[in-house]
Amino acid sequence: MDETLLAVDDLAVEFSGRSGRTRAVDGLSLTIARAETLAVVGESGCGKSVTALSVLRLLQEPAGRIVGGTVRFHGRDLASLDESEMRQIRGRSISMIFQEPMTSLNPVLTIGEQIGETIRIEGDHTAEVVRQRALAMLDMVQIPDSARRLKQYPHELSGGMRQRVMIAMALVNRPDLLIADEPTTALDVTIQAQVLDLMRGLSGQLGMATLLITHDFGVVAEMASRVIVMYAGRKVEEGPVRSLLSSPRHPYTIGLLGSVPKWQQSAGGERRRRLVEIPGAVPALRGPAQACSFAPRCPIASDRCHAEVPPPTAVAPGHVAACWHWPSSTNLRSGWHP
Amino acid sequence: MSYVLRRLLATLPVMATVALIVFSLLHLSPGDPAHVLAGETATPDEVASIRAALGLERPFFERFADWSYSVITGNLGQSIFFGRPVADLILQRAVPSIALSLLALLIAVAIALPLGMFAAWRAGRVIDKMAMSFAVLGFSLPTFVLGYLLILFFSVHLRWLPVQGYVAPEDGAVSFLRHLILPALALGLVYAALIARVTRAAMLEVLGQDYMRTARAKGLGLWRMVVRHALKNAAVPIVTVIGIGFGMLISGVVVTETVFNVPGVGRLTVDAILRRDYPVIQGVVLVFSATYVLINLLVDLSYALFDPRVRR
Ligand SMILES: Nc1ncnc2c1ncn2[C@@H]1O[C@H](COP(=O)(O)OP(=O)(O)O)[C@@H](O)[C@H]1O
Ligand code: SF4
Ligand SMILES: [Mg+2]
């Protein structure tokens, strides 16, 4: 069954502020089928979170706005719904979990209340029914001692436990689609693996589709069936995970994959896996792209790359790359990092 | 040690300091306290008897200890003008002042919370700017000017409410309220302006937090998001300003009772100052300070109610 659940088409998002307008997402298209897991990868600042927030219409309006494109969910364009119609979708059909487990839960409300209110948005239930469902959900995300946890506040839980609570909250109404924005980035490695295992198990069990945002190809390989690589608000490559990881075609993807995973000691003492980034930084677009945004950092850029936007081109079955010179990109694989 | 106990104990040194200052005001002021107390027209005999009564020949701290002890037992001394216990005078006039302050507080919170919350929700838009200009205006108008404006409009022009005066609650609840509503409004509006601005700032900060985005992503309704999720987080700065602003309310009570001719503790204070009735002045300052400390103790204790991280 390959029925399309979510179809984002030609999405464009802009932020306007004192320093003028920035285009955070530029002509992005993606689809997710029922029960499929699609990964979106890219360096930080390339528009992954903005894409995710746009689907649920959670941008900080009026500063951030969807300026073009459609977001079809079950065939219905979410970009044209009003706030109260969106509210019917959020938390019921589409849920979201965020990167920051330490700050994403309300510090002054108990875990029980925060899960309970999510259960109640979907229908009137007695306090006992709500409690039982909350308990069952905590068990499902493998939080031990669930009855006691319900009465606790977020500051009494570890980061990993809080992210489990976020997952419990997101899944309690059995959504069709879960958007997970770097759900494990802030966690230490062993906890990361546990949370990913849990997510994979639950999405299978509930038959739920997942839009998984990450900048870790290890996570992509483990979790997703298809992957999209984003750069400066645009999709630069898309394909089945195996094909894309084994033969990446876009110089940016090659750079990301070729970069060596490094064990970093972060301030909190937890170890994290990070990509050594490609030299240079993600540029901010002022309006629709007029050239290949990656050209300033690309070792094989030509004049054409600076003058015209490369269109998506099929490079293998189901695998597209937006690069003028993709056939010669394979030479890059050795010697990206001098 | 529990949070509550710690807070309670912390008020003791504060109250002791207040008492020392109040006591020193008279006893360390230049000149002979007995002369000051007796007044300009007193005979040498009267001064001498007051001096004997005060025990002025004894050391300062000994007198302070005695005085503190009598204050704790409820004896605030005798009024020179009325010749009656100061405590009785204050108690007698407490009802109008307490009623006025509570009503003013109620009006202030009822106006300020919705206004500040709404302004924060619509931050940067026209409606926010209008609300905040109103708050600035309310804050910069002196209470007595506002009081006279309200009297002019509601009492003189519209003739809806009495111009001045006070009716005790036992002489008619409606009349009692009709007399209190304008002074409470004059008093409450200034206070409201202060609370509204802090509410807006606190809410604005909270609305930008990650957990508010989570609340929206969960599909919660606006009411639940704003009141349950945001307001509870913003509560600590808001009750703090309510507590700090209470000092302003007390000085406002003195002015308002004078403008509206309400026979409360504020009027007693003004009269006592005009008559140089020092024991009464001491007594009211002490009572006002104690009230302020008590209110702020309640504010401190309320933190534990709003924020679980405080309870330890
Ligand atoms: N609240 C905001 N205000 C202004 N610009 C924003 C805001 N959020 C995101 N952007 C812009 O969008 C770009 C993409 O951000 P984001 O989607 O958060 O990146 P990431 O891929 O790391 O999730 C940023 O580089 C920034 O220019
Ligand atoms: S289009 Fe040109 S600049 Fe862009 S990635 Fe391909 S080769 Fe590099
Ligand atoms: Mg992000």
Side-chain angles (χ1 to χ4, degrees):
Chain A
M1 189 169 70
D2 188 50
E3 201 183 327
T4 302
L5 180 67
L6 180 78
V8 174
D9 190 42
D10 204 20
L11 179 72
V13 180
E14 287 189 351
F15 286 91
S16 47
R18 250 168 241 130
S19 54
R21 287 192 306 171
T22 28
R23 184 163 276 229
V25 176
D26 186 36
L28 184 88
S29 301
L30 61 83
T31 61
I32 302 180
R34 282 178 192 278
E36 183 192 24
T37 296
L38 173 72
V40 176
V41 286
E43 282 167 287
S44 100
C46 68
K48 306 181 299 291
S49 295
V50 171
T51 303
L53 292 171
S54 303
V55 172
L56 266 184
R57 296 273 306 281
L58 292 173
L59 296 169
Q60 290 290 335
E61 292 177 37
R65 280 191 315 125
I66 296 180
V67 293
T70 55
V71 179
R72 293 195 180 279
F73 178 70
H74 283 302
R76 196 167 168 215
D77 184 15
L78 302 184
S80 66
L81 297 189
D82 64 27
E83 184 67 16
S84 72
E85 290 168 320
M86 267 322 291
R87 201 177 298 145
Q88 305 305 309
I89 294 194
R90 295 182 190 136
R92 300 182 202 201
S93 315
I94 307 179
S95 295
M96 183 155 178
I97 49 185
F98 300 93
Q99 179 176 344
E100 307 82 7
M102 306 316 271
T103 53
S104 290
L105 288 167
N106 194 318
V108 303
L109 304 177
T110 60
I111 303 303
E113 173 161 5
Q114 297 188 59
I115 298 180
E117 67 182 0
T118 320
I119 296 170
R120 284 202 182 82
I121 62 159
E122 170 267 348
D124 276 331
H125 302 287
T126 64
E128 192 45 36
V129 169
V130 170
R131 196 183 124 78
Q132 289 309 328
R133 283 184 61 182
L135 281 175
M137 208 58 222
L138 288 186
D139 292 340
M140 201 171 192
V141 296
Q142 294 158 23
I143 292 182
D145 207 359
S146 49
R148 190 168 61 92
R149 294 297 184 190
L150 280 187
K151 292 192 216 103
Q152 289 188 319
Y153 290 90
H155 74 268
E156 299 172 87
L157 272 59
S158 68
M161 282 298 152
R162 288 189 218 185
Q163 202 60 311
R164 283 168 197 264
V165 170
M166 284 297 291
I167 295 172
M169 231 158 61
L171 301 191
V172 74
N173 291 328
R174 308 287 153 105
D176 296 330
L177 174 65
L178 172 69
I179 302 176
D181 188 357
E182 310 212 25
T184 57
T185 305
L187 303 177
D188 91 52
V189 237
T190 42
I191 309 293
Q192 224 177 67
Q194 291 170 8
V195 171
L196 288 174
D197 274 351
L198 177 71
M199 285 182 58
R200 196 174 36 207
L202 288 175
S203 62
Q205 194 179 331
L206 303 176
M208 176 183 66
T210 307
L211 175 62
L212 176 68
I213 292 172
T214 176
H215 56 240
D216 186 340
F217 277 106
V219 173
V220 174
E222 221 173 301
M223 305 285 292
S225 51
R226 278 192 309 127
V227 55
I228 285 179
V229 181
M230 275 185 83
Y231 185 76
R234 295 182 68 85
K235 177 167 72 182
V236 295
E237 188 159 6
E238 171 173 12
V241 168
R242 277 170 146 269
S243 169
L244 193 136
L245 292 189
S246 60
S247 41
R249 293 298 185 173
H250 194 282
Y252 178 62
T253 314
I254 295 169
L256 279 183
L257 278 166
S259 52
V260 196
K262 193 168 86 173
W263 295 103
Q264 260 193 356
Q265 201 74 27
S266 77
E270 59 221 65
R271 285 160 25 137
R272 282 188 200 167
R273 201 165 163 195
R274 282 224 180 265
L275 296 172
V276 174
E277 283 164 5
I278 303 160
V282 185
L285 291 179
R286 296 270 155 211
Q290 306 296 333
C292 175
S293 308
F294 191 57
R297 296 167 77 186
C298 181
I300 57 167
S302 65
D303 288 349
R304 187 178 199 184
C305 305
H306 289 280
E308 285 176 77
V309 181
T313 314
V315 297
H319 185 167
V320 295
C323 172
W324 290 121
H325 307 301
W326 68 267
S328 36
S329 68
T330 36
N331 305 332
L332 280 171
R333 250 172 265 175
S334 53
W336 177 281
H337 288 291
Chain B
M1 205 173 9
S2 82
Y3 176 73
V4 175
L5 200 59
R6 256 189 350 249
R7 285 289 164 233
L8 271 172
L9 288 181
T11 61
L12 291 181
V14 177
M15 273 322 293
T17 313
V18 168
L20 184 61
I21 291 170
V22 168
F23 183 74
S24 314
L25 281 182
L26 177 63
H27 289 258
L28 292 184
S29 52
D32 182 351
H35 264 298
V36 177
L37 282 180
E40 283 157 17
T41 56
T43 63
D45 275 358
E46 283 170 339
V47 174
S49 75
I50 286 175
R51 180 172 295 133
L54 289 176
L56 284 181
E57 68 289 347
R58 292 186 301 143
F60 177 82
F61 277 100
E62 202 179 308
R63 282 182 279 138
F64 176 59
D66 278 357
W67 178 79
S68 303
Y69 178 74
S70 56
V71 166
I72 290 168
T73 57
N75 176 7
L76 295 177
Q78 295 274 321
S79 159
I80 297 166
F81 182 80
F82 294 101
R84 292 178 44 204
V86 172
D88 287 1
L89 287 173
I90 293 176
L91 275 181
Q92 224 174 39
R93 293 163 188 252
V95 172
S97 298
I98 293 174
L100 178 60
S101 321
L102 286 184
L103 197 57
L105 179 67
L106 202 71
I107 290 175
V109 171
I111 294 175
L113 277 194
L115 192 71
M117 281 160 61
F118 190 72
W121 184 51
R122 285 273 162 259
R125 306 194 188 187
V126 180
I127 195 77
D128 167 37
K129 288 179 179 141
M130 273 164 58
M132 285 305 109
S133 322
F134 168 78
V136 170
L137 187 73
F139 197 63
S140 40
L141 266 186
T143 310
F144 73 92
V145 174
L146 195 60
Y148 284 124
L149 286 177
L150 289 173
I151 292 177
L152 268 180
F153 188 69
F154 287 103
S155 310
V156 178
H157 183 69
L158 291 177
R159 292 173 186 280
W160 284 355
L161 292 165
V163 174
Q164 275 191 328
Y166 172 76
V167 170
E170 53 270 27
D171 298 336
V174 176
S175 200
F176 167 72
L177 277 179
R178 276 170 52 85
H179 280 84
L180 269 190
I181 194 90
L182 282 189
L185 202 58
L187 193 53
L189 281 179
V190 184
Y191 204 22
L194 179 71
I195 301 173
R197 290 172 58 168
V198 171
T199 302
R200 176 184 180 276
M203 284 297 277
L204 209 52
E205 153 122 28
V206 168
L207 290 178
Q209 298 292 318
D210 288 344
Y211 54 77
M212 291 309 297
R213 190 182 56 189
T214 306
R216 245 184 107 202
K218 289 203 291 191
L220 296 184
L222 187 62
W223 182 258
R224 192 163 179 92
M225 269 181 16
V226 170
V227 176
R228 194 76 190 140
H229 280 253
L231 189 59
K232 199 170 178 210
N233 274 285
V236 166
I238 295 173
V239 293
T240 303
V241 76
I242 291 177
I244 293 170
F246 202 81
M248 199 176 78
L249 190 71
I250 289 175
S251 61
V253 164
V254 175
V255 176
T256 315
E257 288 185 355
T258 310
V259 171
F260 287 91
N261 198 18
V262 176
V265 183
R267 271 282 303 286
L268 180 67
T269 312
V270 174
D271 292 345
I273 291 170
L274 294 176
R275 293 170 188 140
R276 299 187 180 214
D277 197 341
Y278 278 90
V280 174
I281 298 175
Q282 267 186 341
V284 257
V285 172
L286 207 57
V287 167
F288 280 155
S289 311
T291 313
Y292 186 75
V293 171
L294 179 72
I295 294 287
N296 281 283
L297 173 68
L298 291 179
V299 164
D300 273 4
L301 294 183
S302 79
Y303 292 167
L305 206 66
F306 299 119
D307 193 340
R309 289 163 298 187
V310 175
R311 288 168 226 159
R312 266 190 269 240

